[in-house]
Amino acid sequence: MPRPSSEISRRALMTGVSALAVTEGVLTTTDASATPAPAAPTVSVGPGDARYAELATGVNKRWTATPESIRLVASTDQVVQAVTEAVRTGKRVSVRSGGHCYADFVHHPDTDIIIDTSPLNGITYDPARNAFTIGSGAQLGQIYEALYKGWGVTLPGGACLTVGIGGHACGGGFGPLTRKFGLVADHIEAVEMVVVDAGGRVRTVQASRSPSDPHRDLWWATTGGGGGSFGIITRYWFRSPDATGTAPGLQLPTPPREVLVSLAEIPWSRLDAPSMARLVRNFCAWHVDNGATSSPFISLSGYLLMRQGATGGVALFTQVDGTDPDADRLLAHYTAALTAGTGLAASFPSRRVPWLASTKLLGTSSPVLLYDHTLRSAVKTAWLKGSFTDAQLAVMYRHLTRTDYTNPNAVISLNGGAGRTNDTAPGATAIPHRDAALIALYENFWIDRREDDKHLAWLRDLYRESFQDTGGVPVPNDLTGGCYINDPDPDLSDPAWNTSGVPWHTLYWRANYTRLQQVKARYDPTDFFRHAQSIRLP
């Protein structure tokens, strides 16, 4: 299912978050092979229903559908029933988990039925697989609460707590614990998916990482292939690839008991073009130099966000394992490395907070954006293997400080990566970006649809000029590694904006795309599940 995005994001740096309640009754250990309790009837919402307008659009208000109905499904059987009906009547479906898609993959004018998996949000432990079963509609905040309170474990996912796991995991999924524990996709033990065969028969497939599993190729495609291409994910089983024993507390990463967090905000009045460029170069170089899992800084996660306009500036968020006896020294060393040669103070305010509480504290500088689901938005991404060039840094500074365009919600964020993520071979999972040191995200958020052209123009000009030497996009080469499917960009498919000659699917999946096409042909041979940038049949 399409990506509900985003990782520790730029939005999370700018926004405060609040606790999400754990679904009642999910903190249990159950045998997933046992007969489940009967699910509530499928809820079908049509145009005459008061809920229709809200459910026919996602978090990104640029995209709105006019489906015949929205089906809120609470069981795998209900998904099968909804898909069977759509196949029989020739209806086009799309799939929603958390609703955080930046493109029109879910909320598209051609969609007849939206299958909303948000009621599929159970979180249990399955002793048959020694893995945690999580419904595809569960949100990240709910998952963190349930896993940690129930078993003392977590997934290294993103910071936006309302993102749904359905698209987050199958596209990769990263956050503040990723350097130490890898991507969310790296912890997928198995997946359950509703698919449609060549004869229109709807069936349920369970695929695992086991080498002997006849459906292992579908598991592989789910570990980074993105959503909406093969079928409808109804649930995941999560277990770390190096997990041992049978105790639940040993099957997924254990987060630190507390973390040392720092948030420093630097206004543009304290930065000119050379000092901003030096700060960004330092940030990139540090992540290149400390990208190995053997680095003493492996439990440190750093994020740099640059906000447009006179009231903007640079925000630096840092998180360190607070139980490390050297945590304060590591933070001091890191901030000194970032501020070297900038003229900025070499220390930033910090404090220790319990880990679970920290998941709700990221980005307290602007509490409106994360939960303001009235905004319109667009995003562009670039996996980076090193620093930006001088020309790229000059482009950034010029667009961020323009006076003919002002929007504090137009941002560039750099999210530190590498670590455990890069210990996995590019072809071992479907996500190939195992050679990047960090990822850059270029985003814009606004309210008024009449201003779409203005805000998109700022974003498009910034991105095209930043990668003008490679056709306006970050083609895979020695400096850049392509783009991230969990932050989809429709412009990558448009030759007006992508003049590189490198197709959009290469930017997302590089050499893994051919294998993804083979999986598509096996499990969705009629291309029943599709959207603007879904895997194409070979």
Side-chain angles (χ1 to χ4, degrees), residues 151-316:
W151 299 277
V153 299
T154 193
L155 287 171
C160 183
L161 300 187
T162 58
V163 162
I165 194 66
H168 187 67
C170 67
F174 64 83
L177 296 178
T178 288
R179 276 171 47 84
K180 186 171 183 179
F181 298 123
L183 301 171
V184 174
D186 297 338
H187 299 270
I188 299 175
E189 167 69 21
V191 62
E192 180 178 79
M193 192 180 299
V194 174
V195 299
V196 180
D197 68 16
R201 182 172 66 98
V202 181
R203 61 193 176 109
T204 301
V205 177
Q206 291 185 4
S208 76
R209 69 156 66 101
S210 171
S212 62
D213 190 329
H215 299 294
R216 190 178 190 275
D217 57 345
L218 183 60
W219 165 85
W220 177 86
T222 305
T223 61
S229 289
F230 310 104
I232 298 179
I233 297 169
T234 54
R235 57 177 168 169
Y236 293 99
W237 285 263
F238 288 101
R239 184 175 189 263
S240 300
D242 57 352
T244 59
T246 60
L250 298 177
Q251 308 312 313
L252 284 177
T254 301
R257 183 180 66 253
E258 66 175 10
V259 293
L260 179 66
V261 295
S262 171
L263 176 63
E265 299 192 54
I266 307 162
W268 288 124
S269 60
R270 296 176 56 196
L271 289 166
D272 55 14
S275 58
M276 187 217 78
R278 181 62 183 268
L279 180 64
V280 173
R281 275 197 217 96
N282 289 349
F283 181 89
C284 295
W286 187 93
H287 283 89
V288 171
D289 294 342
N290 293 278
T293 51
S294 59
S295 168
F297 294 91
I298 192 61
S299 63
L300 184 150
S301 294
Y303 306 89
L304 184 153
L305 182 141
M306 295 171 277
R307 197 184 307 184
Q308 204 274 339
T311 61
V314 177
L316 292 164

Side-chain angles (χ1 to χ4, degrees), residues 59-97:
V59 174
N60 182 358
K61 297 308 178 189
R62 283 179 66 200
W63 315 116
T64 300
T66 55
E68 295 177 5
S69 65
I70 300 125
R71 308 292 177 84
L72 289 95
V73 291
S75 72
T76 300
D77 285 346
Q78 291 178 5
V79 175
V80 170
Q81 292 167 9
V83 174
T84 299
E85 177 188 333
V87 171
R88 186 179 66 249
T89 57
K91 304 298 185 183
R92 181 167 177 176
V93 304
S94 63
V95 190
R96 169 175 169 152
S97 174

